[in-house]
Amino acid sequence: MGIKNTILLSLFFVALVAKNGLAAQHVVGGSQGWEQSTDLNSWASAQKFKVGDQLVFKYTSGLHSVVELPNESAFKNCDLGSALDSKKGGNDAVKLTKAGTRYFACGTLGHCDQGMKMKITTVAAGSNTATSPASSSSDDDDSSSSDASTTTTSTTSAASATFNSFASFVAMTAVSALVLVSVF
């Protein structure tokens, strides 16, 4: 009976590692964080958000906040009064629990109107569909440099996702090997 329990516990551990290894944590705005100077639309367009992933908003508490808006209209009009949720901690996590589009803005007066907002599209965890680009208010003259930056970031994100999947596979293989060695 002891061997069965060891095997079941090991399989549970492997499943847990696999699940956590596939979920990503996205620091909003990358190294710049949730700040007015960050091009949040370009950053969001270069990411692939999946159900189970987590957004982490890092910012100076008291200077900024995070407000989730209910729809495209509230997003476009910066209607902060219709917020679904508000966070003010400076290191706030938002779990992406279902597929669909979500809208975020800074709740500090005037920041949303100045462009401190983003929309993201979350896809089902097993989906290979790329996210739709976030709306952008950049001029056509700036699009070529923005496209190059987005392409580079997308390539980096894809390479990172491939590495994370490979690392998860290696970890699961190693644990399985240890279980087999300990059982036999």
Side-chain angles (χ1 to χ4, degrees), residues 13 18 34-35 41 50-51 67 83 92-93 124 132 139 144 156 163 181:
F13 178 73
W34 180 246
E35 295 293 332
N41 288 320
K50 294 182 179 181
V51 172
V67 176
D92 304 315
S132 59
D139 296 333
S144 61
T156 304
F163 175 77
V181 167

Side-chain angles (χ1 to χ4, degrees), residues 59-93:
Y59 56 92
T60 304
S61 182
L63 182 59
H64 300 295
S65 65
V66 179
V67 176
E68 184 169 2
L69 300 172
N71 55 42
E72 182 86 20
S73 176
F75 175 75
K76 285 183 177 178
N77 297 313
C78 291
D79 181 8
L80 303 177
S82 65
L84 299 173
D85 192 18
S86 180
K87 298 183 182 302
K88 300 178 182 187
N91 190 24
D92 304 315

Side-chain angles (χ1 to χ4, degrees), residues 88-182:
K88 300 178 182 187
N91 190 24
D92 304 315
V94 174
K95 181 100 172 171
L96 303 177
T97 57
K98 62 182 179 178
T101 303
R102 292 177 74 173
Y103 308 90
F104 298 94
C106 181
T108 301
L109 186 62
H111 288 193
C112 179
D113 291 319
Q114 294 170 4
M116 194 171 171
K117 61 184 179 177
M118 69 170 193
K119 77 176 179 179
I120 65 158
T121 301
T122 306
V123 296
S127 174
N128 286 327
T129 307
T131 57
S132 59
S135 64
S136 176
S137 58
S138 63
D139 296 333
D140 289 334
D141 296 339
D142 295 333
S143 64
S144 61
S145 63
S146 176
D147 290 344
S149 173
T150 301
T151 302
T152 302
T153 306
S154 295
T155 302
T156 304
S157 296
S160 177
T162 301
F163 175 77
N164 287 340
S165 295
F166 178 72
S168 295
F169 171 75
V170 169
M172 289 186 298
T173 303
V175 169
S176 298
L178 286 173
V179 168
L180 289 174
V181 167
S182 67

Side-chain angles (χ1 to χ4, degrees), residues 30-50:
S31 61
Q32 293 178 320
W34 180 246
E35 295 293 332
Q36 282 179 286
S37 61
T38 305
D39 185 348
L40 296 166
N41 288 320
S42 291
W43 176 84
S45 294
Q47 307 301 309
K48 181 168 182 165
F49 303 104
K50 294 182 179 181

